[in-house]
């Protein structure tokens, strides 16, 4: 089997670029939001990689660092401390990454003293356990953390560990769930422990409820998402499918957060990568000329709002936006176009206090 430093593993297909684009967009919002309230912020890249791909594209550590230091609001965030732990088990990869970070520091000199980047040539579970024990000993809580967990396979990232590490209100996870590999190996002898670790439950229970007809990939996606919610305690869990060149889902990116603003930012990132709103990116379509700009179909949202709010009076537009964000696949930005259409079709009553235009603050909606 090729080592994790083998050049064949460091090509950068379109789905990897899409993953990085999501990370980039999300961090753009995450850094300033968290640095408003917190003295110290932690970015933990559990499977950090070499820092650069064969085609020259930057890997997640460089993306995370560059996004912060080049951020247009960095001057306002500069008094906060940003700690980056890049955990990489392979020695060659860790050395390559350290070299890339050194280069980045030269490129972006003078490097801010408040941004500290550490490469740890260690396994993710070992590092995570050490962090948890240290926090327990010192009876401290973890600084607000964004953990990016992006392995080549599915071992070494037990759910219990993610739960223990990220059991703090402002912690979030962005995790690559390699459903293609999981599907292939879930019933193989010798994989029980790895699967039990990944899901935090026995394989028998993972497969329970799958009736053999339903799509197994979708079943595994929903079990893993449920575990992130119930065992790891993330109130809001979203997933995004990456479809490989053979047309199958290779992996899902899951985002777990306890804050609705986190959902808002991640949905914005996901919709940017898939403007059709299918929460899917396909290598097969990447780079093809799209003849028509993808416009989302808003009719399911229209139906849902009419159903959910049926008979309710004077609902604030902002409430409708949060409902849409948290309970439908749509973004808050889709609400106003739908309300505009519903109003012009005479399907809702818009209560506009004098002087208020369109759907400004203070405007409320009554549904039939
Ligand atoms: C998919 S790559 C990471 C890519 C990187 N996140 C990026 O986006 O640029 C996975 C990396 O995890 C490393 N790795 C494998 N097992 C590991 C473990 N148990 N702990 C930490 N790193 C590990 C591999 O050497 C490899 O560099």
């Amino acid at each position: 089997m090729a080592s994790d430093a083998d050049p064949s593993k460091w090509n950068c297909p379109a789905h990897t670029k899409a993953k990085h684009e999501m990370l980039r967009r999300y961090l753009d919002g995450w850094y300033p939001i968290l640095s408003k309230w917190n003295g110290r912020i932690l970015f933990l890249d559990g499977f950090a990689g070499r820092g650069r791909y064969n085609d020259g594209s930057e890997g997640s550590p460089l993306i995370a660092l560059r996004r912060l230091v080049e951020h247009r609001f960095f001057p306002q965030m500069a008094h906060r401390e940003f700690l980056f732990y890049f955990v990489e088990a392979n020695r060659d990869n860790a050395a390559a990454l350290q070299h890339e970070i050194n280069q980045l520091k030269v490129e972006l000199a003078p490097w801010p003293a408040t941004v500290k980047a550490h490469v740890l040539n260690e396994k993710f579970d070992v590092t995570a356990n050490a962090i948890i024990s240290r926090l327990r000993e010192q009876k401290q809580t973890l600084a607000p953390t964004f953990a990016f967990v992006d392995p080549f396979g599915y071992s070494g990232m037990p759910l219990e560990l993610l739960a223990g590490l990220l059991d703090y209100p402002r912690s979030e996870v962005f995790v690559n769930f390699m459903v293609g590999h999981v599907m292939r190996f879930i019933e193989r002898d010798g994989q029980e422990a790895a699967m039990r670790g990944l899901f935090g439950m026995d394989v028998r229970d993972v497969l329970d409820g799958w009736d053999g007809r339903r799509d197994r990939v979708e079943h595994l996606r929903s079990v893993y998402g449920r575990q992130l919610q119930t065992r790891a305690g993330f109130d809001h869990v979203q997933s995004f499918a990456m479809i490989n060149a053979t047309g199958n889902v290779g992996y899902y990116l899951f985002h777990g957060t306890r804050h609705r603003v986190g959902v808002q930012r991640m949905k914005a990132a996901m919709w940017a990568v898939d403007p059709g709103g299918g929460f899917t990116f396909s290598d097969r379509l990447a780079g093809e000329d799209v003849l028509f700009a993808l416009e989302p179909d808003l009719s399911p949202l229209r139906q849902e709002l009419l159903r959910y709010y049926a008979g309710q009076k004077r609902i604030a537009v902002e409430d409708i936006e949060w409902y849409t964000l948290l309970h439908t696949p749509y973004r808050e930005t889709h609400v106003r176009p739908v309300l505009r259409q519903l109003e012009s079709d005479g399907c809702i009553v818009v209560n506009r206090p004098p002087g208020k235009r369109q759907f400004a603050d203070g405007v409320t909606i009554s549904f039939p």
Side-chain angles (χ1 to χ4, degrees):
M1 204 159 79
S3 115
D4 284 350
D6 191 291
S8 66
K9 291 201 163 183
W10 294 95
N11 291 327
C12 195
H15 62 79
T16 302
K17 292 190 200 308
K19 170 173 73 180
H20 288 156
E21 184 56 22
M22 249 183 258
L23 180 67
R24 210 176 268 126
R25 284 176 179 268
Y26 187 75
L27 292 179
D28 228 20
W30 187 76
Y31 290 132
I33 291 170
L34 284 208
S35 56
K36 259 194 208 153
W37 314 108
N38 304 281
R40 176 188 268 186
I41 290 152
L42 177 62
F43 181 94
L44 177 65
D45 198 336
F47 295 76
R50 295 176 67 79
R52 198 173 290 278
Y53 288 78
N54 293 336
D55 68 353
S57 309
E58 294 187 337
S60 54
L62 297 202
I63 288 170
L65 289 169
R66 185 186 285 286
R67 214 59 190 171
L68 174 64
V69 176
E70 291 188 336
H71 204 291
R72 60 201 179 287
F73 296 139
F74 185 71
Q76 286 93 303
M77 301 187 260
H79 58 299
R80 304 300 195 194
E81 187 184 25
F82 292 89
L83 260 181
F84 291 82
Y85 285 141
F86 299 118
V87 188
E88 171 52 57
N90 180 286
R91 191 147 39 106
D92 278 2
N93 289 348
L97 175 58
Q98 185 63 65
H99 173 74
E100 291 292 344
I101 292 174
N102 295 345
Q103 297 283 99
L104 186 76
K105 286 183 171 178
V106 172
E107 182 197 330
L108 300 181
W111 187 259
T114 49
V115 179
K116 296 176 177 136
H118 303 285
V119 175
L120 309 176
N121 180 204
E122 191 53 273
K123 286 190 166 179
F124 170 63
D125 55 351
V126 174
T127 308
N129 274 317
I131 294 175
I132 294 171
S133 332
R134 201 171 336 125
L135 291 171
R136 285 204 184 123
E137 265 165 37
Q138 299 172 353
K139 294 197 169 38
Q140 283 185 351
T141 56
L142 193 64
T145 299
F146 184 90
F148 183 39
V149 180
D150 181 29
F152 279 135
Y154 50 79
S155 54
M157 46 179 280
L159 193 91
E160 288 301 321
L161 194 66
L162 296 184
L165 181 68
L166 300 170
D167 184 22
Y168 301 96
R170 290 184 189 277
S171 296
E172 304 194 358
V173 71
F174 192 38
V175 55
N176 182 335
F177 174 62
M178 283 281 188
V179 74
H181 288 296
V182 173
M183 249 223 335
R184 212 168 318 138
F185 293 104
I186 191 157
E187 288 177 298
R188 293 258 179 104
D189 287 346
Q191 294 301 307
E192 299 83 357
M195 293 294 168
R196 194 180 313 117
L198 176 72
F199 286 97
M201 66 206 286
D202 285 336
V203 169
R204 199 168 10 98
D205 297 325
V206 173
L207 294 179
D208 187 36
W210 178 62
D211 60 15
R213 287 190 301 276
R214 245 183 73 206
D215 180 359
R216 189 184 265 209
V217 169
E218 170 51 24
H219 176 78
L220 295 172
R221 185 197 70 81
S222 81
V223 173
Y224 192 71
R226 206 166 55 232
Q227 289 297 87
L228 279 178
Q229 235 162 1
T230 55
R231 295 288 282 275
F234 291 108
D235 301 330
H236 308 290
V237 171
Q238 300 177 83
S239 62
F240 189 100
M242 291 295 184
I243 301 187
N244 57 28
T246 60
N248 298 306
V249 181
Y251 57 95
Y252 285 102
L253 289 169
F254 274 90
H255 177 241
T257 177
R258 298 178 180 84
H259 284 270
R260 59 187 196 169
V261 177
V263 181
Q264 188 182 36
R265 304 300 313 201
M266 186 49 86
K267 261 198 177 171
M270 290 176 168
W271 272 88
V273 171
D274 177 12
F279 294 86
T280 300
F281 178 88
S282 171
D283 271 358
R284 287 174 143 188
L285 299 178
E288 299 244 323
D289 280 344
V290 179
L291 291 179
F292 305 98
L294 279 176
E295 281 295 331
D297 174 11
L298 298 182
S299 49
L301 177 59
R302 176 187 167 113
Q303 294 309 324
E304 174 57 14
L305 295 182
L306 288 173
R307 183 200 68 76
Y308 181 76
Y309 288 108
Q312 298 196 45
K313 305 274 176 265
R314 297 193 173 274
I315 309 293
V317 174
E318 198 197 8
D319 290 348
I320 301 173
E321 288 174 339
W322 280 117
Y323 174 78
T324 298
L325 188 81
L326 298 177
H327 301 287
T328 79
Y330 291 91
R331 292 184 62 196
E332 73 286 4
T333 49
H334 296 126
V335 169
R336 287 167 198 235
V338 169
L339 293 180
R340 221 171 282 134
Q341 192 61 52
L342 284 170
E343 183 181 18
S344 82
D345 294 347
C347 295
I348 53 173
V349 176
V350 180
N351 317 293
R352 280 194 187 90
K356 296 281 182 188
R357 295 166 59 99
Q358 287 287 334
F359 298 104
D361 278 357
V363 172
T364 62
I365 312 292
S366 297
F367 288 82

